Amino acid sequence: MICSILHDSDVKKEQWLNFGPYRSKSKTHQNKAQSWRMKLVCLSTCTDNQVPSSGSVKEALLQAGLGERCVVLPDVFGSKEAFLHTITATFPKLKECGGFEFLRCVPNSKRLEVISSKLAHTPKLLRSIVGNGRVFIR
């Protein structure tokens, strides 16, 4: 039986060669902020239940300061207050309306359904529901 004596420095070098690259990557990805490019569509009335599809309706929304806009949220894991501030900065008329709710499109239709306020109060939860789709506000 052959016994080899390894010094501590040799063992550490071998461990680093075998496991070094994997250890450093996992720590950097956990602390990194993730941005999200969100497509928002602000509707004109609180009774809208359909996706605006005609060109004249979309043009009227844009002239009223509503309609579709892309917003980049710098940190998906940010606070609720920062999230709401970004939305009201994008659509200033939402500050005066007394409240709003988020909606999403029902698959394979143009009908809109309300997203529960429990699920839409942070950008992380809203992103898990909607993904890269549009978020409608009424």
Side-chain angles (χ1 to χ4, degrees), residues 51-64 66-68 110:
V51 175
S53 57
S54 69
S56 60
V57 173
K58 290 180 182 180
E59 185 66 32
L61 287 173
L62 287 175
Q63 288 178 354
L66 305 172
E68 184 171 351
K110 293 191 179 220

Side-chain angles (χ1 to χ4, degrees), residues 110-135:
K110 293 191 179 220
R111 199 169 41 90
L112 297 174
E113 67 180 2
V114 177
I115 299 172
S116 171
S117 62
K118 293 178 184 178
L119 300 175
H121 71 280
T122 62
K124 181 182 175 186
L125 292 173
L126 188 61
R127 181 175 145 182
S128 68
I129 296 168
V130 179
N132 290 329
R134 289 185 182 114
V135 177

Side-chain angles (χ1 to χ4, degrees), residues 29 32-36 73-77 127:
H29 289 298
K32 189 175 181 181
Q34 294 180 0
S35 63
W36 179 31
L73 296 173
D75 188 10
V76 174
F77 303 107
R127 181 175 145 182

